[in-house]
């Protein structure tokens, strides 16, 4: 299944049942006994952390479970994932999964303390958000086509910043370089907060920013929003083209899901998955985390998606010769 096809299917897979009706695949399920800890492998306060807290609050309201969100940042999400795989496989310890889980299979090949296919049980792919091509006004381009033309005529002049080597905004840029045949210079930072002042001052010219960040920067006219990285245009920015309109093979989004230790019993995994799907389909939930779109998937579909993400990111990383 193609990645973009899966994202569409995941978003629709549980859209037809009314909220509160358990899908058929979750008929024989159970839930953990006792409090649940959800590990977020990022610092508190970011959009990923915030979206998890909103969704888990809804799950808690729906089920009566006591859910604690615990931040364990560092190591490109490896610290949080390591804590997950060491936990008891009883469904009482979960962790957030993002693109980094797939990236790390290549970036840290042979160095990970777990096996993705054996030590992790995917629960559900729950929501995603677009990235964008955000450009400083110093770049003489007001459309995506003009930007590509400028980059082609000025190889190595356009700099694009990222939150670090091997991060999502880094791979977004490398992917565009590959499909468009342009040469941009990557400038890694220690996180987005360190990058933003240089972006606004023009020391770095481009960022593949989250949709929320880009809309705010474009609204203030501090930056130019030229494209989104998803397959289709976003409802929050309908006039902004998708890169796929020009390069159909290009589709990139930041996705979020949840996982359990690999030996967690299937009825518990299925039960948690059903509750996560129910939570993200609750009317009004996405309005609390603007910029995200609900998905919701079965554990099996999430596992297939992860495999494809690993393969896709490996091609990008190896093509760009990205090493840590």
């Amino acid at each position: 299944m193609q990645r973009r096809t899966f994202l569409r299917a995941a978003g629709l897979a549980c859209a037809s049942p009314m909220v509160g009706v358990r899908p058929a695949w979750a008929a024989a399920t159970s839930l953990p006994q006792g409090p649940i800890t959800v590990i977020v492998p990022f610092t508190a306060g970011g959009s990923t952390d915030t979206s998890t807290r909103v969704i888990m609050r809804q799950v808690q309201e729906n089920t009566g479970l006591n859910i604690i969100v615990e931040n364990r940042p560092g190591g490109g999400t490896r610290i949080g994932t390591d804590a997950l795989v060491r936990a008891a496989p009883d469904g009482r310890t979960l962790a957030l999964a993002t693109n980094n889980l797939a990236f790390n299979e290549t970036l840290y090949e042979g160095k990970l303390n777990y096996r993705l296919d054996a030590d992790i049980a995917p629960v559900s792919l729950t929501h995603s958000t677009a990235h964008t091509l955000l450009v400083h006004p110093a770049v003489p381009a007001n459309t995506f086509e003009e930007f590509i033309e400028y980059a082609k005529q000025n190889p190595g002049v356009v700099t694009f910043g990222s939150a670090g080597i091997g991060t999502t905004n880094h791979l977004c840029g490398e992917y565009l370089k590959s499909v468009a045949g342009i040469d941009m210079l990557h400038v890694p930072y220690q996180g987005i907060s360190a990058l933003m002042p240089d972006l606004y001052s023009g020391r770095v010219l481009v960022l593949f920013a989250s949709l929320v960040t880009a809309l705010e920067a474009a609204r203030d006219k501090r930056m130019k929003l030229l494209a989104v990285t998803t397959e289709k245009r976003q409802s929050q920015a309908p006039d902004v083209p998708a890169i796929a309109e020009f390069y159909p093979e290009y589709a990139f989004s930041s996705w979020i899901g949840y996982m359990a230790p690999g030996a967690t019993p299937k009825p518990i995994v299925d039960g948690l998955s059903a509750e996560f799907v129910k939570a993200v389909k609750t009317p009004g939930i996405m309005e609390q985390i603007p910029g995200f779109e609900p998905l919701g998937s079965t554990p099996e579909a999430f596992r297939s998606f992860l495999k494809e993400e690993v393969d896709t990111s490996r091609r990008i990383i190896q093509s760009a010769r990205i090493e840590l």
Side-chain angles (χ1 to χ4, degrees), residues 180-258:
I182 58 177
D183 179 17
M184 298 187 294
L185 177 64
H186 175 230
V187 184
Y189 284 76
Q190 293 295 317
I192 289 293
S193 59
L195 184 161
M196 295 307 291
D198 281 0
L199 180 69
Y200 288 136
S201 69
R203 293 183 66 184
V204 174
L205 297 175
V206 171
L207 172 64
F208 289 84
S210 69
L211 181 60
V212 172
T213 297
L215 288 173
E216 181 181 343
R219 191 180 303 117
D220 296 343
K221 300 190 183 302
R222 290 180 291 177
M223 302 291 290
K224 294 184 284 190
L225 173 52
L226 300 187
V228 295
T229 63
T230 41
E231 179 191 4
K232 295 183 178 181
R233 300 188 183 205
Q234 296 293 296
S235 59
Q236 292 160 293
D239 296 330
V240 178
I243 293 174
E245 294 175 27
F246 307 92
Y247 301 99
E249 65 270 41
Y250 191 102
F252 209 112
S253 64
S254 281
W255 51 263
I256 295 174
Y258 298 93

Side-chain angles (χ1 to χ4, degrees), residues 11 23 42 64 86 113 141-142 154 170-171 176 184 205 211 219 228 243 245 247 263 274 284 300 304 306 319 321:
F42 300 98
R86 291 195 302 265
N113 297 322
N142 293 313
N154 298 274
H170 180 197
L171 265 67
L176 182 61
M184 298 187 294
L205 297 175
L211 181 60
R219 191 180 303 117
V228 295
I243 293 174
E245 294 175 27
Y247 301 99
E300 293 76 16
S304 296
L306 274 174
S319 176
R321 299 181 180 179

